[in-house]
Amino acid sequence: MSGASDDDDLLFADEAEDEAGRGPTPAPWTVLIVDDDPEVHAITRVVLHDVEYEGRGLAFLSAFSAEEARAILRATDDVAAVLLDVVMETDDAGLKLVHFIREELGNRHVRIILRTGQPGLAPERQVIVGYDINDYKAKSELTAQTLFTATVAALRSYQHIRAIEEGRRGLENAQRATVHALGKLAEFKDEVTGDHVKRIGRWATAIAQRLRADGVHAHIVDTVFCEHIGLASMLHDVGKVGVPDHILGKPGKLDQQEMAVMREHAAIGGRILREASGIVGGPNPLSLGAEIAESHHEKWDGTGYPHGLKGEAIPLSGRIVAVADVYDALLHRRPYKEAWDHRDVLGLIRREAGTHFDPAVVDAFLKVLEEQGTP
């Protein structure tokens, strides 16, 4: 008995090692079946049960109404494809679910195959044009082969979209790393920059979000602008790398010649960041950073530098950072000045609305202070 037991142990040990040698089984693709007919669910599972794509099988979820599907989609973020009926609890329940997926959930990745037994209620041409779906099949024409083909095509499309999305995230991370590296470069030149730029980023983001909530400058302040401005604003003084240390660290007021040199940092920063952003292409934190670096010392009345821009000719990003920069700089000690009292800082910003600052940006900033509290 003992010998037989030992032999069995060795046999099972070999099998376990073989299992381990193959590595973990790849996770299956998640496919959601949405149909009010249980038979459709059963047939779909039978037809597709042995389908594999890229070495991965299928895992099925079932919803028997659009409402059930909503709950599943809210809770599950890896659904690759939805096999969706049109007519369920209402004649257009499936079409409303498409709208929910794309607009309310903002899910552009999942592939949607519309299947209908009543094409007259959802004409193919109208549905293809009006809804963001990936395939349309009448159930009367749906064979095992066409269902297989449509499903594999949907999985391939989903895989490609996710790969593109991962590439985009990688590019964004690279841009973020570049911004932080450039910000660190500025810190080496100006010891006050480190915490200052972080605070500027928070204030700039809050102001932009307030403007958007109030519908001010709505043609400019969109989701991307709000996402980028905090990071981009951290580069507002990167041009100080071109300013000599004895000017940056002077413990007192700069003379006229020194001030002229100091003012060059705005144009220098704009040139550095514009060249870098050109390599990336398209709107990105570096291109917005170039805009901010060059324009955050412009004034609403046209008396700023480096170009003497006036009013809305000054980029909105620069007008936002101008308020955040002055506010934060005055509140904190610098080599050439002591910190101001908060009431005095607010008094100056209110007085300078319409001369130094964009009045709409000042209004938004004051609202932010009311909402978040003063530091």
Side-chain angles (χ1 to χ4, degrees):
M1 290 292 290
S2 175
S5 177
D6 290 343
D7 290 343
D8 289 345
D9 288 343
L10 288 172
L11 176 62
F12 290 130
D14 290 341
E15 290 177 350
E17 287 172 3
D18 288 342
E19 289 287 337
R22 286 196 293 268
T25 302
W29 304 99
T30 303
V31 175
L32 173 60
I33 307 168
V34 187
D35 200 296
D36 60 355
D37 185 348
E39 188 174 346
V40 171
H41 290 257
I43 293 172
T44 300
R45 289 170 181 263
V46 168
V47 170
L48 299 178
H49 80 280
D50 60 349
V51 170
E52 284 194 3
Y53 174 67
E54 295 287 315
R56 298 168 61 182
L58 306 185
F60 297 100
L61 300 175
S62 283
F64 295 90
S65 68
E67 190 58 39
E68 284 185 28
R70 286 186 177 87
I72 291 172
L73 288 161
R74 285 192 188 99
T76 312
D77 61 3
D78 65 343
V79 175
V82 178
L83 304 175
L84 175 60
D85 191 15
V86 175
V87 180
M88 292 180 284
E89 59 263 52
T90 63
D91 288 349
D92 61 350
L95 298 180
K96 287 182 177 178
L97 183 61
V98 173
H99 182 271
F100 169 81
I101 292 170
R102 300 304 193 204
E103 304 305 325
E104 294 186 41
L105 286 185
N107 186 337
R108 303 289 174 178
H109 303 132
V110 64
R111 305 294 82 193
I112 300 174
I113 301 172
L114 209 62
R115 304 190 294 181
T116 181
Q118 303 179 56
L121 293 176
E124 182 173 354
R125 183 182 294 260
Q126 178 183 335
V127 170
I128 288 289
V129 171
Y131 293 85
D132 184 4
I133 64 170
N134 306 103
D135 205 345
Y136 181 104
K137 302 293 182 186
K139 289 180 180 177
S140 59
E141 303 170 354
L142 195 59
T143 66
Q145 183 58 48
T146 56
L147 179 57
F148 167 83
T149 301
T151 301
V152 171
L155 296 178
R156 181 179 291 115
S157 177
Y158 175 81
Q159 181 187 44
H160 291 168
I161 288 172
R162 294 310 296 254
I164 292 169
E165 179 68 16
E166 288 174 10
R168 184 186 65 81
R169 282 199 296 267
L171 178 59
E172 288 179 350
N173 289 337
Q175 291 177 13
R176 187 174 294 274
T178 301
V179 169
H180 281 286
L182 289 169
K184 285 292 182 183
L185 181 64
E187 285 185 45
F188 282 113
K189 290 289 291 182
D190 184 355
E191 65 180 14
V192 303
T193 300
D195 291 336
H196 173 63
V197 297
K198 294 173 186 175
R199 293 190 297 265
I200 294 297
R202 291 194 292 269
W203 288 123
T205 298
I207 294 170
Q209 291 172 340
R210 184 68 262 170
L211 288 170
R212 187 181 186 202
D214 291 345
V216 180
H217 301 305
H219 61 295
I220 300 174
V221 187
D222 56 13
T223 301
V224 173
F225 184 92
C226 291
E227 288 175 350
H228 285 178
I229 192 168
L231 188 63
S233 67
M234 296 174 68
L235 299 173
H236 69 287
D237 274 343
V238 74
K240 286 184 177 179
V241 297
V243 178
D245 292 344
H246 73 273
I247 293 178
L248 279 177
K250 183 177 179 180
K253 189 174 181 179
L254 301 180
D255 63 31
Q256 189 172 356
Q257 184 176 2
E258 290 168 334
M259 181 57 73
V261 174
M262 175 66 87
R263 287 185 171 185
E264 289 178 5
H265 82 275
I268 292 171
R271 287 197 300 270
I272 292 171
L273 297 173
R274 193 165 288 110
E275 183 175 340
S277 70
I279 298 172
V280 177
N284 59 75
L286 291 174
S287 62
L288 192 62
E291 195 176 84
I292 290 168
E294 193 167 40
S295 66
H296 73 286
H297 285 295
E298 301 286 1
K299 294 186 178 181
W300 186 253
D301 64 3
T303 62
Y305 65 89
H307 302 302
L309 301 179
K310 184 177 182 178
E312 295 198 1
I314 307 168
L316 178 59
S317 59
R319 281 138 55 193
I320 289 172
V321 173
V323 173
D325 187 29
V326 169
Y327 174 78
D328 192 77
L330 292 178
L331 273 183
H332 295 86
R333 185 184 179 280
R334 293 292 177 89
Y336 52 85
K337 73 165 193 66
E338 295 299 322
W340 284 31
D341 180 80
H342 189 260
R343 289 172 297 181
D344 294 334
V345 176
L346 287 185
L348 180 138
I349 288 177
R350 289 192 176 100
R351 289 194 304 273
E352 292 292 316
T355 53
H356 187 160
F357 306 120
D358 177 348
V361 173
V362 171
D363 287 345
F365 178 61
L366 294 176
K367 288 180 181 179
V368 168
L369 287 178
E370 290 177 6
E371 293 166 357
Q372 298 187 6
T374 57

